[in-house]
């Protein structure tokens, strides 16, 4: 039997520990459905990769497709003339960031810049000067539908936004004080005069887990929650309404499900729009550069159009659709139990729907007949003047 020295044993133990920490960490055996956020596709993972794991129940071939999509999700795109990275070019000429992961770090959510300022790493701003219920927001002349704060060499970015905060003090009904920060946004450093009538809407990158399961939910199921069963026109309670938007694949109006304002109908269109708007990477859904019609627009010889092949878009879409959902934690903790009771008493669950079941026999079997706990109704909600951005999108 081969003998190892103490230093070698220490190194081996260290390697095993490091490897173990990078793998999903199982929680206590599940005895109820409370842990299962997405049925058999729930991930029992407490590591830093919890939002990036694939479905635990998936075939080897589909797992490979998921892994290919993950590579593309993390890939840094470069300008078209940077042939050192010939497989992932097409960045710009104006853009917000250079990879999906740059905004959705660890497939998690983004944040506004700490303390304010203009460093918009995982935050962007949508723009418009009007809105149509059939055509959507009207782009701002010279700026389009989104403010791109970065640009490739030799090109001017559109501008950026300076964020400032004002602390405001409030008091709960029981007398306990609390403080909120009220943001103020100012479009600055623009390459041309910014129209005074332009509307802006701040957006931080959202989490991406569970989108495939929400995508297959029948429209009829979602519409059952419109107005929470209240008569049409009854505004005595917070209530949701559907947002019908244009689907570039079906070329007709479809129910919006994704984005902060239910402004995209499918994961594919959401992702394709992000490539075109956030990174300036054209694709078959949006084949035209976001800078088209502006001084920054340019055609570089040898740059393919669309810049993202359909095969890579498909793999990236499948990656997002099959991200596992982390298990709910601490479900028996007394504070968590009390919070759940208050959640129900306050009727939060009338909009934040706790439980849904995906339909049977959907196109992808792994998304079929799954009990999920999404805590959303996939509808638009009027949350009051204090939270309104006053920029409509279709609806």
């Amino acid at each position: 039997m081969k003998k190892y020295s103490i230093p070698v044993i220490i190194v081996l133990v260290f390697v095993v520990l490091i490897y173990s920490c990078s793998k999903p960490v199982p929680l206590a055996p599940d005895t109820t459905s409370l842990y299962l956020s997405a049925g058999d596709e729930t991930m029992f993972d407490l590591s830093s990769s919890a939002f990036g794991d694939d479905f635990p129940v998936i075939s080897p071939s589909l797992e490979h497709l998921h892994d290919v999509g993950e590579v593309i999700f993390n890939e840094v795109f470069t300008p078209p003339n940077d042939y050192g990275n010939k497989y992932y070019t097409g960045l710009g000429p104006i853009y917000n960031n250079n990879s999906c992961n740059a905004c959705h770090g660890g497939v998690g959510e983004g944040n506004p810049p700490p303390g304010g300022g203009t460093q918009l790493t995982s935050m962007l701003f949508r723009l418009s000067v009007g809105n149509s219920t059939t055509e959507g927001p009207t782009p701002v002349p010279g700026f389009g539908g989104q403010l791109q704060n970065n640009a490739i060499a030799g090109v001017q970015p559109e501008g950026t936004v300076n964020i400032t905060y004002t602390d405001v003090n409030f008091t709960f009904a029981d007398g306990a004080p609390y403080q909120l920060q009220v943001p103020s946004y100012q479009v600055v450093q623009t390459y041309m005069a910014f129209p005074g009538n332009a509307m802006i809407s701040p957006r931080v990158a959202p989490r991406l887990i569970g989108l495939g399961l929400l995508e297959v939910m029948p429209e009829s199921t979602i519409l059952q929650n419109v107005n929470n069963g209240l008569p049409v026109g009854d505004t005595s309670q917070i209530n949701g309404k559907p947002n019908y938007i244009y689907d570039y694949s079906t070329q007709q109006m479809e129910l919006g499900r994704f984005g902060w304002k239910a402004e995209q109908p499918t994961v594919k269109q959401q992702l394709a729009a992000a490539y075109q708007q956030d990174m300036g990477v054209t694709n078959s859904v949006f084949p035209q550069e976001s800078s088209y019609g502006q001084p920054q627009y340019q055609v570089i010889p040898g740059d393919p159009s669309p810049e993202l092949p359909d095969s890579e878009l498909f793999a990236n879409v499948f990656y997002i659709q099959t991200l596992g959902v982390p298990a709910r934690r601490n479900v028996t903790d007394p504070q968590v139990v009390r919070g759940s009771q208050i959640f129900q008493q306050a009727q939060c669950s009338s909009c934040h729907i706790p439980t849904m079941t995906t339909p049977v026999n959907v196109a992808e079997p792994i998304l079929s007949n799954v009990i999920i706990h999404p805590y959303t109704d996939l509808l638009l909600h009027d949350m009051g003047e204090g939270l309104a951005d006053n920029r409509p999108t279709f609806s």
Side-chain angles (χ1 to χ4, degrees):
M1 179 178 178
K2 188 173 182 179
K3 295 181 179 179
Y4 295 95
S5 66
I6 291 178
V8 172
I9 292 175
I10 292 174
V11 170
L12 288 173
V13 171
F14 179 76
V15 170
V16 170
L17 287 174
I18 291 297
Y19 178 76
S20 299
C21 291
S22 68
K23 302 296 288 182
V25 179
L27 302 181
D30 177 44
T31 56
T32 73
S33 63
L34 295 177
Y35 286 109
L36 302 180
S37 304
D40 290 341
E41 306 303 357
T42 303
M43 288 300 305
F44 289 86
D45 186 352
L46 296 179
S47 74
S48 60
S49 66
F51 293 150
D53 295 321
D54 58 0
F55 281 175
V57 181
I58 190 171
S59 67
S61 59
L62 293 181
E63 184 175 25
H64 174 70
L65 179 59
H66 176 97
D67 292 343
V68 171
E70 182 177 17
V71 170
I72 301 167
F73 182 88
N74 291 315
E75 190 63 47
V76 174
F77 281 75
T78 60
N81 54 357
D82 185 354
Y83 296 106
N85 182 11
K86 65 179 180 179
Y87 295 110
Y88 296 99
T89 64
L91 181 70
I94 53 177
Y95 63 96
N96 296 105
N97 223 320
N98 58 7
S99 76
C100 301
N101 189 62
C103 287
H104 303 269
V107 201
E109 61 188 25
N111 292 288
T118 59
Q119 300 302 311
L120 309 177
T121 302
S122 56
M123 185 180 190
L124 54 80
F125 286 80
R126 298 279 166 78
L127 311 172
S128 56
V129 290
N131 178 64
S132 165
T133 56
T134 57
E135 298 181 6
T138 306
V140 177
F143 292 87
Q146 183 168 307
L147 188 71
Q148 279 87 22
N149 59 314
N150 289 308
I152 63 175
V155 177
Q156 286 184 293
E158 292 178 324
T160 189
V161 174
N162 184 46
I163 304 174
T164 56
Y165 294 101
T166 301
D167 293 331
V168 182
N169 297 311
F170 298 92
T171 304
F172 287 110
D174 63 0
Y178 67 97
Q179 188 178 76
L180 296 176
Q181 286 188 320
V182 178
S184 177
Y185 307 108
Q186 182 181 14
V187 181
V188 297
Q189 302 172 22
T190 55
Y191 83 105
M192 61 178 290
F194 190 70
N197 65 332
M199 297 176 284
I200 66 174
S201 179
R203 309 292 176 90
V204 293
R207 294 177 185 175
L208 303 176
I209 55 173
L211 299 192
L213 296 162
L214 294 175
E215 186 172 33
V216 300
M217 292 303 303
E219 180 175 336
S220 59
T221 299
I222 298 171
L223 296 182
Q224 288 176 2
N225 298 311
V226 173
N227 290 328
N228 306 319
L230 298 174
V232 175
D234 186 341
T235 58
S236 61
Q237 300 181 43
I238 295 174
N239 53 82
K241 65 177 182 178
N243 191 23
Y244 285 93
I245 51 83
Y246 187 75
D247 187 316
Y248 286 84
S249 295
T250 64
Q251 297 186 357
Q252 61 186 21
M253 304 299 287
E254 304 284 1
L255 180 67
R257 298 167 185 257
F258 304 116
W260 284 111
K261 302 183 77 172
E263 62 212 79
Q264 296 294 359
T266 62
V267 172
K268 178 181 178 181
Q269 187 161 308
Q270 171 74 19
L271 189 58
Y275 270 110
Q276 188 239 16
Q277 287 289 315
D278 301 359
M279 290 185 276
V281 176
T282 60
N283 50 77
S284 60
V285 183
F286 298 103
Q288 196 171 72
E289 292 284 1
S290 63
S291 59
Y292 183 78
Q294 299 180 203
Q296 300 98 328
Y297 178 73
Q298 58 181 262
V299 177
I300 298 176
D303 181 28
S305 183
E307 294 159 330
L308 184 72
D310 272 347
S311 59
E312 296 184 3
L313 177 61
F314 175 78
N316 207 344
V317 168
F318 187 79
Y319 168 68
I320 300 300
Q321 291 172 328
T322 53
L323 286 169
V325 183
R328 185 179 167 194
R329 294 181 294 174
N330 305 324
V331 296
T332 59
D333 181 280
Q335 280 191 302
V336 175
V337 173
R338 178 58 182 149
S340 178
Q341 294 170 344
I342 295 173
F343 185 86
Q344 296 296 333
Q345 291 169 2
Q347 299 183 346
C348 301
S349 59
S350 62
C351 296
H352 299 275
I353 308 300
T355 304
M356 296 181 184
T357 303
T358 65
V360 179
N361 297 327
V362 296
E364 181 49 66
I366 58 177
L367 300 173
S368 174
N369 197 31
V370 181
I371 298 175
I372 62 175
H373 301 293
Y375 292 91
T376 179
D377 58 10
L378 295 174
L379 298 169
L380 284 179
H381 291 264
D382 182 353
M383 299 299 291
E385 186 60 32
L387 295 176
D389 64 11
N390 298 311
R391 177 186 177 268
T393 302
F394 285 95
S395 179

